[in-house]
Amino acid sequence: MNRRKFLSCAVLAATAGATGGAMAMGTASGYNVVGFAALYGPLGEVLVNPYGIAPLTAIIKNGGYELLDADVRVVPKKGGQEIAYKVSRSQLLTHGGVPVFGLYADYQNQVEVTAKKRFKGQVETVKFTYTIYAGPITGIPSGAPHEKSLMFKANVKKVSKKFADRLYFVNNLGTPNAQTMRTIWNNPMGGAMTWQFPPKTVIIDTKGEIRWFLDYRDLWKPEDPYSNGVMMGFHQNLDGCLTFGFGQRYAKYDLMGRKIWNRRLPNAYADFSHALDPAQNGHYFLRVSSADLRRADEKRVHTVRDVIIEVDQNGTVVDEWRLFDILDPYRSDVIKALDQGAVCLNIDPSKSGHTLSAEELAKQEAEGEFGDIAGVGPGRNWAHVNSVDYDPTDDSIIISSRHQSACIKIGRDKKVKWILGVPKGWRSPWKEALLTPVSAKGQKLNCTDVECTDTDFDWTYTQHTAFRVDEKSDKRYCMISVFDNGDARNLDQPALASMKYSRAVIYKIDQKNMTVEQVWEYGKERGHDWYSPVTSLTRYEADKDSVMVYSATAGMDFSLSGGSSTPPRPVLNEFEWGAKEPAVEIQMSPGSGYRAFPISVKKAFTEN
């Protein structure tokens, strides 16, 4: 035996001794890898982060046995939150073993498994505990001087017993770094490609611990214009999987990180952000833009956040809603009242309190200035649609248009069914679709074209998320949940920035009589501390008959001198239906939030 072969055998022998047992040798490729790995437990080997993007997951392989069912319990830290779930046979077959979800980062986790296995025709129930170490949080540092860690912290302030088992999916946004925001469209001009915020996407428990995070480094590539953008529009589908989009892509993955599909946008469209709705008809509604629109003046542009497309399960486009043809892209009442310091995620504290004049809008048009800028007309950010929701009762969509301060229902025929928003500036035929505010008794309220008096009713301003509450709606009555950000309230800027506030709101719309009633609100009493100039969510949760609210940029203060601002401190709340005070309050710090919502382990592993 020569020296090289001797050393190789010595290393293998030493490795076998270090593991405390002998290893099978002599296979064509060397030592028996399966035999080595199987030493880690009585069933099969452990694969941590099996699909490369979910480091706090693992698969305990089936060890060659046929598994019929399994129960998993991740033992909590002292005083921590237990995660326990049943695993369906389909999940056992899909993953080739027992999927483990909810590990603690940088920690030796104890995972208890009870499994029913069949071998040689005999069925046996086995119980065992695995020790599984999961590594620390990973990501891409931004290099920004204020960055101290790769992830935000969650400060749990209040959780009632009813909600103690919650897990919350949190979609926050990181700081752009030197690799991002280097790409723009130039053929044709305009668009919103420059949105390049790295994701901070996690699942937290009600103790504030991170129990899952997305390691996006194999998905999100800042140097590739077709693999970057802001990860947004997350939903957990009925099958337990996640759908979302980013830039020029939209995707579906399960909670273990297994890719179901990850697709380029169809060629005619660009710049996904904000909204992807998995609809009841099995299709997906995406908020995108036109990749090439020839305007009436013959200029060709990428448009900005003003197109909805419907794609089927195979990614085929089956319909589109071109909002610049359906709505009035030159209605400027809201655009002129916006705080230019925070036009959605285009944050510039030096412009805090500044607004656009009619002359400035006219100059944009005269000079052909296009792109992700507040303005009017196709090719500018005139609509800024940030949510879309499908209504199967009449085959229509409900959108939230931030820069029109309106929630709007549009039919398959591309006709506007109703508009919930401040009346000022709407011309015919749109003004005929405006909803009339009424009291709980159906009495018309005393309202001008910008505000209602002697009532708690208010329209939403620069809002986010207009979601139909399916469980409390029917063909005539439509309940919707909205986060009223509150910038440009009453189409004006207040004397002091500290006078601004946000609200979570539930409206009841009588689609036959074209009226709207405000049935619940929260936030006004929290004042400016809870105010979110941009982003955020309000959504009904059927499993606990509750309302989930995420004031995702709360605490961002533009009133500081020198054109600076304080970083946001997002606030997550959940309310029992109709309650005036939250049952849950968790504050994230530091960083900008986008959306958050409860995640169901049962949907992911038990029901499918």
Side-chain angles (χ1 to χ4, degrees), residues 422-424 445-453 459:
V422 60
K424 186 177 180 180
L445 300 179
N446 182 27
C447 301
T448 68
D449 63 353
V450 294
E451 64 179 328
C452 296
T453 57
W459 289 289

Side-chain angles (χ1 to χ4, degrees), residues 167-185:
L167 295 169
Y168 292 105
F169 188 96
V170 181
N171 174 203
N172 280 5
L173 310 176
T175 303
N177 58 55
Q179 297 184 73
T180 63
M181 296 188 174
R182 296 182 296 174
T183 310
I184 60 172
W185 296 116

